[in-house]
Amino acid sequence: MHLDLSVPATELTRAVVDIPSESGAEAVLADAVEEALAGLGGLRVDRDGDAVVARTDLGRATRVLLAGHLDTVPIADNLPSRVVGGRLYGCGTSDMQAGVAVMLRLAAVFATSAGSGLAHDVTWVFYDNEEVDAVRNGLRRLVANHRDWLDADLALLLEPTAGEIEAGCQGTLRVVVTVPGHRAHSARAWLGENAIHRAAPLLERLGSYRTRTVVIDGCTYREGLNAVRISGGVAGNIIPDACEVVVNYRFAPDRDVSQALDHVRETLDGFTLELADSADGALPGLTAPAAAAFVQAVGRKPVAKYGWTDVARFAALGIPALNYGPGDPNLAHTRDEYVEIERIDAAEDVLHRYLATEK
Amino acid sequence: MHLDLSVPATELTRAVVDIPSESGAEAVLADAVEEALAGLGGLRVDRDGDAVVARTDLGRATRVLLAGHLDTVPIADNLPSRVVGGRLYGCGTSDMQAGVAVMLRLAAVFATSAGSGLAHDVTWVFYDNEEVDAVRNGLRRLVANHRDWLDADLALLLEPTAGEIEAGCQGTLRVVVTVPGHRAHSARAWLGENAIHRAAPLLERLGSYRTRTVVIDGCTYREGLNAVRISGGVAGNIIPDACEVVVNYRFAPDRDVSQALDHVRETLDGFTLELADSADGALPGLTAPAAAAFVQAVGRKPVAKYGWTDVARFAALGIPALNYGPGDPNLAHTRDEYVEIERIDAAEDVLHRYLATEK
């Protein structure tokens, strides 16, 4: 499979989308990306599994990293891509092959000038398995195997943001709250203690919880504390002796996991809980000079990112990171996924302006 | 397999217990019971599936029906039976092969006098599949196929009651309450409505529900309204759009299912619910002359039966019915199931005294 990087971004997006690359099956696309980048000349191209990393080495004072995942969610009868009106439809168009295509276009454009037009050194990171369990995530693997490939002053993830700058991300943790009871036949309920009934004050407390809103670098992070699963019951004639509630806390990045867990313990005081999983958030990092310059290039006020994204991996490495991409986050993972064609071109323009010496 | 009905009740219980007869596999035991009863002479013996019904036809003014199921719950490495101290251990000893043996002993004893010692005509009903889904219940099948075999003025079920008279039984119904919500990503919880949180007032209402206590014919029925199952949740990062709670109402037999359902609807007003299953209870029926005479013969104050039992099937036919048997209800279905040997003899004595002309 060959990718021609000289075509316009929309056409290139189509070509990328039409190479199926569900998580775990990115090899064909990764090969095509690696071959196309190597063919440009002037870039050092490295490979780790199905991740491809390309870098300039121009000795610039700053390095900007552009990152995008090659994998898509499972194809839902929505390939090959098709253009309808001003939209390109198909699996991965929005999340995030349009971003991948913009990254490839920028590599091609600057390579033709042997990088002379670049204000920064640039690193391109294409990686696998973002849409599945974190343990398989290709960026996580790169951090472990080749931390040095990822050095940068600013990382931009071309995840779908509809052309907005989404800064930082909230952290997340899940706890399992166990409410005990005492089993009995339901015909003699007074001999037991109903664990499901005893969960009422827990749910009431969650329902009336007042969420925090935190403003950092002008970005507003709105938290959430929610039961995301409940289960209890033994049989239709048994007073249940246990009820389990999984609670998800999405917290602003001014707290780390440990502080967030303390807050949950305090809020759910009196209940027994255990931490099931967690991930730190990422501060917006907009005060870093490279980030501030990018915000100026885009010309739009950054907004907070609510979901957890791979920007947190860069934040954990001490690299400010932002999400900025042409796709629409609300269309990600839907059968009717599409990307507005004009947003692809706009993203390429913005990034070109930001990376180029002539502003 | 042959059953010798001339041996003492304890020995006969052992013989019955040692013929494995899990629900659906009662044929060997049913064959043995049928053959033994037919061998006594003087009884009309009928068969329907693995149910065996034997009757005297002496022209007495009243007819007493003794009923017991032949099946046991699954054997739990607790066969063959063994005697330790004054107890007979083994699967089904308590629930209810000791009762079956007492029934068989009474048939043998009165048959030797060609029924001349009987104050009442007597019907013996042995049936299959009591320990499984109601739709398979052998007594239910007999009601449908041979209603006339079951005619009686009083029915006594020899289910385990530890020698007490348990009168009538409570009714039971289950409703499924559905609490709706609105799905959203948990990182943007304010776009959704959490169905699990919205179940809090339902659980609170159930937890603070004040149960009714109803006294009928001197028997106290204590009701119960309980959540027996709860489930909700889509994924660890989704605000759930539904939470389902199964509520079980155990109600005194002064209410029928329809009245009981009205009460549940009223109590859970504001919530959407659907009836999942139900069974009417049975009034104690202690004012019927044959029942009053039995209470006098036993010499103990009847108590209410809380769980639903097959007495309700007789009650539905207009036949007063009581539970009275040698087993211990608290040991039913346990691996360490046993029956106190002296209770077997006591039950035979009481029933002999009640059925005999000489009081």
Side-chain angles (χ1 to χ4, degrees):
Chain A
M1 204 70 76
H2 175 74
L3 284 174
D4 177 1
L5 306 190
S6 71
V7 302
T10 304
E11 203 172 314
L12 183 55
T13 300
R14 253 195 116 153
V16 171
V17 168
D18 287 341
I19 301 175
S21 57
E22 297 179 0
S23 305
E26 303 92 339
V28 175
L29 180 57
D31 289 349
V33 166
E34 182 182 10
E35 183 229 25
L37 291 170
L40 294 173
L43 296 176
R44 171 170 173 170
V45 181
D46 289 302
R47 173 98 177 223
D48 178 288
D50 286 331
V52 179
V53 178
R55 287 172 286 171
T56 62
D57 188 12
L58 306 167
R60 298 288 190 271
T62 51
R63 176 175 290 277
V64 172
L65 185 150
L66 306 177
H69 59 85
L70 296 175
D71 62 320
T72 71
V73 293
I75 296 160
D77 201 23
N78 51 0
L79 280 191
S81 60
R82 60 204 163 83
V83 174
V84 180
R87 298 168 171 177
L88 176 66
Y89 282 83
C91 182
T93 44
S94 180
D95 187 9
M96 57 169 282
Q97 308 303 37
V100 165
V102 167
M103 288 168 64
L104 290 169
R105 276 296 298 156
L106 293 165
V109 167
F110 287 110
T112 58
S113 62
S116 65
L118 280 171
H120 315 270
D121 268 303
V122 180
T123 301
W124 286 263
V125 177
F126 301 90
Y127 62 101
D128 53 290
N129 286 300
E130 192 271 348
E131 297 289 8
V132 286
D133 279 357
V135 69
R136 293 170 60 190
N137 185 293
L139 187 57
R140 177 191 163 125
R141 193 181 62 244
L142 284 176
V143 170
N145 294 352
H146 305 285
R147 167 67 187 82
D148 56 310
W149 294 0
L150 304 174
D151 276 334
D153 297 286
L154 175 69
L156 298 176
L157 271 77
L158 277 78
E159 290 275 3
T161 66
E164 301 293 336
I165 299 174
E166 294 187 340
C169 76
Q170 305 217 100
T172 181
L173 67 79
R174 265 182 287 271
V175 294
V176 180
V177 186
T178 312
V179 183
H182 184 74
R183 206 179 279 206
H185 195 288
S186 69
R188 298 183 194 84
W190 59 92
L191 300 179
E193 194 157 2
N194 195 315
I196 296 176
H197 296 184
R198 293 184 66 200
L202 170 66
L203 302 187
E204 204 283 319
R205 213 179 293 176
L206 290 169
S208 63
Y209 175 78
R210 297 187 56 139
T211 55
R212 244 177 20 126
T213 295
V214 181
V215 179
I216 308 170
D217 291 358
C219 297
T220 302
Y221 294 90
R222 190 166 164 187
E223 300 194 335
L225 183 68
N226 275 279
V228 289
R229 192 173 291 279
I230 188 167
S231 61
V234 180
N237 60 353
I238 303 283
I239 301 302
D241 56 355
C243 183
E244 211 177 79
V245 183
V246 179
V247 176
N248 182 212
Y249 180 35
R250 298 281 175 156
F251 51 94
D254 64 329
R255 284 182 169 163
D256 63 16
V257 164
S258 150
Q259 293 166 321
L261 182 58
D262 284 349
H263 176 69
V264 172
R265 285 195 194 285
E266 205 173 290
T267 304
L268 304 183
D269 184 42
F271 292 96
T272 304
L273 60 86
E274 211 169 299
L275 183 66
D277 57 48
S278 65
D280 275 315
L283 287 162
L286 293 170
T287 53
F294 179 68
V295 171
Q296 197 170 6
V298 176
R300 291 184 66 82
K301 187 173 148 45
V303 295
K305 179 73 181 176
Y306 286 110
W308 192 91
T309 80
D310 273 332
V311 295
R313 293 189 204 279
F314 289 104
L317 300 177
I319 302 170
L322 304 171
N323 289 292
Y324 170 78
D328 183 333
N330 297 322
L331 298 170
H333 305 193
T334 66
R335 188 181 287 266
D336 292 331
E337 183 174 357
Y338 66 81
V339 60
E340 302 275 2
I341 286 170
E342 64 179 21
R343 284 228 178 100
I344 307 177
D345 297 326
E348 185 183 348
D349 286 351
V350 162
L351 284 162
H352 189 276
R353 202 162 59 239
Y354 170 60
L355 295 174
T357 44
E358 310 292 320
K359 302 253 165 115
Chain B
M1 203 71 73
H2 175 72
L3 284 174
D4 177 0
L5 306 190
S6 71
V7 302
T10 303
E11 204 173 313
L12 184 54
T13 301
R14 253 194 117 155
V16 171
V17 168
D18 288 339
I19 301 175
S21 57
E22 297 179 1
S23 305
E26 304 91 340
V28 174
L29 180 57
D31 289 349
V33 166
E34 182 183 12
E35 185 229 24
L37 291 171
L40 294 173
L43 296 177
R44 169 169 174 174
V45 180
D46 289 303
R47 174 97 176 224
D48 179 287
D50 286 330
V52 179
V53 178
R55 286 172 288 171
T56 63
D57 189 11
L58 305 167
R60 299 289 191 272
T62 52
R63 178 175 289 277
V64 173
L65 184 151
L66 307 176
H69 59 85
L70 296 175
D71 61 319
T72 70
V73 293
I75 296 160
D77 201 23
N78 51 0
L79 278 190
S81 61
R82 60 204 163 83
V83 174
V84 180
R87 298 169 172 176
L88 177 64
Y89 282 84
C91 182
T93 45
S94 179
D95 186 10
M96 58 169 280
Q97 307 304 38
V100 165
V102 167
M103 288 168 64
L104 290 169
R105 277 294 299 153
L106 292 165
V109 166
F110 286 110
T112 58
S113 62
S116 65
L118 280 171
H120 316 270
D121 269 305
V122 180
T123 301
W124 286 264
V125 177
F126 301 89
Y127 61 103
D128 55 289
N129 285 302
E130 191 270 349
E131 298 289 8
V132 286
D133 279 357
V135 68
R136 293 170 59 190
N137 185 293
L139 187 59
R140 177 190 163 126
R141 192 181 65 244
L142 284 175
V143 171
N145 294 352
H146 305 286
R147 166 66 185 84
D148 56 310
W149 294 0
L150 303 175
D151 275 336
D153 298 286
L154 176 69
L156 299 176
L157 271 78
L158 277 78
E159 289 275 3
T161 67
E164 302 292 336
I165 300 174
E166 294 188 340
C169 75
Q170 306 218 99
T172 180
L173 67 77
R174 265 182 287 270
V175 294
V176 179
V177 187
T178 311
V179 183
H182 184 73
R183 206 180 279 206
H185 195 289
S186 68
R188 297 183 196 83
W190 58 93
L191 299 178
E193 196 157 0
N194 195 314
I196 296 176
H197 296 184
R198 292 184 68 201
L202 170 66
L203 302 187
E204 203 285 318
R205 213 179 294 174
L206 290 169
S208 62
Y209 175 78
R210 297 189 57 140
T211 55
R212 239 172 31 121
T213 295
V214 181
V215 179
I216 308 169
D217 292 359
C219 297
T220 302
Y221 294 89
R222 191 167 164 185
E223 301 193 334
L225 184 68
N226 276 279
V228 289
R229 192 173 290 281
I230 189 167
S231 60
V234 181
N237 60 353
I238 303 284
I239 301 301
D241 56 356
C243 182
E244 211 177 80
V245 183
V246 179
V247 176
N248 181 211
Y249 180 34
R250 299 281 176 156
F251 50 94
D254 65 329
R255 285 182 169 162
D256 63 16
V257 164
S258 150
Q259 293 166 319
L261 182 59
D262 285 349
H263 176 68
V264 172
R265 284 195 196 283
E266 205 172 291
T267 304
L268 304 185
D269 185 42
F271 291 96
T272 303
L273 60 86
E274 210 168 301
L275 184 65
D277 58 46
S278 64
D280 274 316
L283 288 162
L286 293 170
T287 52
F294 178 67
V295 171
Q296 200 170 2
V298 175
R300 293 183 65 82
K301 185 173 150 43
V303 295
K305 179 74 182 177
Y306 286 111
W308 192 91
T309 80
D310 273 332
V311 296
R313 292 189 204 281
F314 290 102
L317 300 176
I319 303 170
L322 304 170
N323 289 294
Y324 170 79
D328 182 332
N330 297 323
L331 298 172
H333 305 192
T334 66
R335 187 181 288 268
D336 292 331
E337 183 174 357
Y338 66 82
V339 60
E340 303 274 2
I341 286 169
E342 66 180 19
R343 285 229 177 97
I344 307 176
D345 297 327
E348 185 183 347
D349 286 352
V350 163
L351 285 162
H352 188 276
R353 199 161 61 239
Y354 170 60
L355 295 173
T357 44
E358 311 293 323
K359 303 254 165 119

Coordinates of all heavy atoms in Angstrom, one line a residue, chain A residues 75-122:
Chain A
I75 N -14.7 -1.2 12.5 CA -15.5 -0.8 11.3 C -16.9 -1.2 11.4 O -17.2 -2.3 11.8 CB -14.8 -1.3 10.0 CG1 -13.4 -0.8 9.9 CG2 -15.7 -1.0 8.8 CD1 -12.5 -1.6 9.0
A76 N -17.8 -0.2 11.2 CA -19.3 -0.5 11.4 C -20.0 -0.4 10.0 O -20.9 0.5 9.9 CB -19.8 0.4 12.4
D77 N -19.5 -1.2 9.1 CA -20.1 -1.1 7.8 C -20.0 0.3 7.2 O -20.8 0.7 6.4 CB -21.6 -1.5 7.9 CG -22.1 -2.0 6.5 OD1 -21.3 -2.4 5.7 OD2 -23.4 -1.9 6.4
N78 N -18.9 1.0 7.6 CA -18.8 2.4 7.2 C -17.5 2.7 6.5 O -16.9 3.8 6.6 CB -19.0 3.4 8.4 CG -18.2 3.1 9.6 OD1 -17.4 2.1 9.5 ND2 -18.3 3.9 10.6
L79 N -17.0 1.7 5.7 CA -15.9 1.9 4.8 C -16.3 1.2 3.5 O -17.1 0.3 3.5 CB -14.6 1.2 5.4 CG -13.8 1.9 6.4 CD1 -12.5 1.2 6.7 CD2 -13.6 3.4 6.0
P80 N -15.8 1.6 2.3 CA -14.8 2.7 2.1 C -15.5 4.1 2.4 O -16.7 4.2 2.5 CB -14.4 2.6 0.7 CG -15.6 1.9 0.0 CD -16.1 1.0 1.1
S81 N -14.7 5.1 2.5 CA -15.2 6.5 2.8 C -16.0 7.0 1.6 O -15.9 6.5 0.5 CB -14.0 7.4 3.0 OG -13.2 7.4 1.9
R82 N -16.8 8.0 1.9 CA -17.5 8.6 0.8 C -17.7 10.1 1.1 O -17.8 10.5 2.3 CB -18.9 7.9 0.5 CG -19.8 7.9 1.7 CD -20.8 6.8 1.7 NE -21.4 6.7 3.0 CZ -22.4 7.5 3.5 NH1 -23.0 8.4 2.7 NH2 -22.8 7.3 4.7
V83 N -17.7 10.9 0.1 CA -17.9 12.4 0.3 C -19.4 12.7 0.0 O -19.9 12.3 -1.1 CB -17.0 13.2 -0.7 CG1 -17.3 14.7 -0.6 CG2 -15.5 12.9 -0.4
V84 N -20.0 13.4 0.9 CA -21.4 13.8 0.7 C -21.4 15.3 1.1 O -21.1 15.6 2.3 CB -22.4 13.0 1.5 CG1 -23.8 13.5 1.3 CG2 -22.3 11.5 1.2
G85 N -21.8 16.1 0.2 CA -21.7 17.6 0.5 C -20.3 17.9 0.9 O -19.3 17.5 0.3
G86 N -20.1 18.7 1.9 CA -18.8 19.1 2.4 C -18.2 18.2 3.4 O -17.3 18.6 4.1
R87 N -18.7 16.9 3.5 CA -18.3 16.0 4.5 C -17.7 14.8 3.9 O -18.1 14.2 2.9 CB -19.5 15.6 5.4 CG -20.1 16.8 6.1 CD -21.4 16.4 6.7 NE -22.0 17.4 7.6 CZ -23.1 17.4 8.2 NH1 -23.9 16.3 8.0 NH2 -23.5 18.4 9.0
L88 N -16.6 14.3 4.7 CA -16.1 13.0 4.3 C -16.5 12.0 5.4 O -16.2 12.1 6.6 CB -14.5 13.1 4.3 CG -13.8 11.7 4.0 CD1 -14.2 11.2 2.6 CD2 -12.3 11.9 4.2
Y89 N -17.3 11.0 5.0 CA -17.8 10.0 5.9 C -17.0 8.7 5.9 O -16.4 8.4 4.9 CB -19.2 9.6 5.4 CG -20.3 10.6 5.8 CD1 -20.6 11.7 5.0 CD2 -21.1 10.4 6.9 CE1 -21.6 12.6 5.3 CE2 -22.1 11.3 7.2 CZ -22.3 12.4 6.4 OH -23.3 13.3 6.7
G90 N -17.0 8.1 7.0 CA -16.3 6.8 7.1 C -15.6 6.5 8.5 O -15.4 7.5 9.2
C91 N -15.4 5.3 8.8 CA -14.8 4.9 10.1 C -13.4 5.6 10.2 O -12.5 5.4 9.4 CB -14.6 3.4 10.1 SG -13.9 2.8 11.7
G92 N -13.2 6.3 11.3 CA -12.0 7.0 11.6 C -11.8 8.3 11.0 O -10.8 9.0 11.2
T93 N -12.7 8.8 10.2 CA -12.5 10.1 9.5 C -12.3 11.2 10.5 O -11.4 12.0 10.4 CB -13.8 10.5 8.7 OG1 -15.0 10.2 9.4 CG2 -13.8 9.7 7.4
S94 N -13.1 11.2 11.6 CA -13.1 12.2 12.6 C -12.0 11.8 13.7 O -11.2 12.7 14.1 CB -14.4 12.4 13.3 OG -14.4 13.3 14.3
D95 N -12.0 10.5 14.0 CA -11.1 10.1 15.1 C -10.2 9.0 14.6 O -10.5 7.8 14.7 CB -12.0 9.6 16.3 CG -11.2 9.2 17.5 OD1 -10.0 9.5 17.6 OD2 -11.8 8.6 18.5
M96 N -9.0 9.3 14.1 CA -8.5 10.6 13.8 C -7.6 10.6 12.6 O -6.6 11.2 12.5 CB -7.8 11.2 15.0 CG -6.6 10.3 15.5 SD -5.5 11.1 16.7 CE -4.6 12.2 15.7
Q97 N -8.2 10.0 11.5 CA -7.4 9.9 10.3 C -7.2 11.2 9.6 O -6.2 11.5 8.9 CB -7.9 8.8 9.3 CG -8.2 7.5 9.9 CD -7.0 6.8 10.6 OE1 -6.1 7.5 11.2 NE2 -6.9 5.5 10.4
A98 N -8.2 12.2 9.8 CA -8.0 13.5 9.2 C -6.8 14.2 9.9 O -6.0 14.9 9.2 CB -9.3 14.3 9.5
G99 N -6.6 14.0 11.2 CA -5.5 14.5 11.9 C -4.2 13.8 11.4 O -3.2 14.5 11.3
V100 N -4.2 12.5 11.2 CA -3.1 11.8 10.7 C -2.7 12.4 9.4 O -1.5 12.6 9.1 CB -3.4 10.3 10.7 CG1 -2.3 9.6 9.8 CG2 -3.4 9.7 12.1
A101 N -3.7 12.6 8.5 CA -3.4 13.1 7.2 C -2.8 14.5 7.2 O -1.8 14.8 6.5 CB -4.7 13.1 6.3
V102 N -3.3 15.4 8.1 CA -2.7 16.7 8.3 C -1.3 16.6 8.7 O -0.4 17.3 8.2 CB -3.5 17.5 9.3 CG1 -2.8 18.8 9.7 CG2 -4.9 17.9 8.7
M103 N -1.0 15.7 9.7 CA 0.4 15.5 10.1 C 1.3 15.1 8.9 O 2.4 15.6 8.8 CB 0.5 14.4 11.2 CG -0.1 14.8 12.5 SD -0.3 13.4 13.6 CE 1.4 12.9 13.9
L104 N 0.8 14.2 8.1 CA 1.6 13.7 7.0 C 1.8 14.8 5.9 O 2.9 15.0 5.3 CB 0.9 12.5 6.3 CG 0.9 11.2 7.1 CD1 0.0 10.2 6.5 CD2 2.3 10.6 7.3
R105 N 0.7 15.6 5.7 CA 0.8 16.7 4.8 C 1.9 17.7 5.2 O 2.7 18.2 4.4 CB -0.5 17.5 4.7 CG -1.5 16.9 3.8 CD -1.1 16.9 2.3 NE -0.8 18.3 1.8 CZ 0.0 18.6 0.8 NH1 0.7 17.7 0.2 NH2 0.1 19.9 0.5
L106 N 2.0 18.0 6.5 CA 3.0 19.0 7.0 C 4.4 18.4 6.8 O 5.3 19.2 6.5 CB 2.7 19.3 8.5 CG 1.4 20.1 8.8 CD1 1.0 20.0 10.3 CD2 1.5 21.5 8.3
A107 N 4.5 17.1 7.1 CA 5.8 16.5 6.8 C 6.3 16.7 5.4 O 7.4 17.1 5.1 CB 5.8 15.0 7.2
A108 N 5.3 16.4 4.5 CA 5.6 16.5 3.1 C 6.0 17.9 2.6 O 6.9 18.2 1.9 CB 4.4 16.0 2.2
V109 N 5.1 18.9 3.1 CA 5.3 20.3 2.7 C 6.7 20.8 3.2 O 7.4 21.4 2.4 CB 4.2 21.2 3.3 CG1 4.5 22.7 3.2 CG2 2.9 20.9 2.6
F110 N 7.0 20.6 4.5 CA 8.3 21.1 5.0 C 9.5 20.3 4.5 O 10.6 20.9 4.3 CB 8.3 21.2 6.5 CG 7.4 22.3 7.0 CD1 6.2 22.0 7.7 CD2 7.8 23.6 6.8 CE1 5.4 23.1 8.1 CE2 7.0 24.7 7.3 CZ 5.8 24.4 7.9
A111 N 9.3 19.0 4.1 CA 10.4 18.2 3.6 C 10.9 18.8 2.3 O 12.1 18.7 1.9 CB 10.0 16.8 3.5
T112 N 9.9 19.3 1.5 CA 10.3 19.8 0.1 C 11.3 21.0 0.2 O 12.1 21.2 -0.6 CB 9.1 20.3 -0.7 OG1 8.4 21.3 0.1 CG2 8.1 19.1 -0.9
S113 N 11.3 21.7 1.4 CA 12.2 22.8 1.6 C 13.4 22.3 2.5 O 14.1 23.2 3.1 CB 11.5 24.0 2.2 OG 11.0 23.6 3.5
A114 N 13.5 21.0 2.6 CA 14.6 20.5 3.5 C 14.5 21.1 4.9 O 15.5 21.2 5.6 CB 16.0 20.7 2.9
G115 N 13.2 21.4 5.3 CA 13.0 21.9 6.6 C 13.4 23.4 6.8 O 13.3 23.9 7.9
S116 N 13.9 24.0 5.8 CA 14.4 25.4 6.0 C 13.3 26.3 6.4 O 13.5 27.4 7.0 CB 15.0 25.9 4.7 OG 14.0 26.0 3.7
G117 N 12.0 26.0 6.1 CA 10.9 26.9 6.4 C 10.4 26.7 7.9 O 9.5 27.4 8.3
L118 N 11.0 25.8 8.6 CA 10.5 25.5 10.0 C 11.1 26.4 11.0 O 12.3 26.6 11.1 CB 10.9 24.0 10.3 CG 10.0 22.9 9.7 CD1 10.5 21.5 10.0 CD2 8.5 23.0 10.3
A119 N 10.2 26.9 11.9 CA 10.6 27.7 13.0 C 11.1 26.8 14.2 O 11.8 27.3 15.0 CB 9.5 28.6 13.5
H120 N 10.6 25.6 14.2 CA 11.0 24.6 15.3 C 11.4 23.3 14.7 O 11.1 23.0 13.5 CB 9.7 24.3 16.1 CG 8.9 25.5 16.5 ND1 9.1 26.2 17.7 CD2 7.8 26.1 15.9 CE1 8.2 27.2 17.7 NE2 7.4 27.1 16.6
D121 N 12.2 22.6 15.4 CA 12.3 21.2 15.0 C 11.0 20.5 15.3 O 10.2 20.9 16.2 CB 13.5 20.5 15.8 CG 14.8 20.6 15.1 OD1 14.9 20.1 13.9 OD2 15.8 21.1 15.7
V122 N 10.7 19.5 14.5 CA 9.4 18.8 14.6 C 9.6 17.3 14.7 O 10.5 16.7 14.1 CB 8.5 19.2 13.4 CG1 7.1 18.5 13.5 CG2 8.3 20.7 13.2

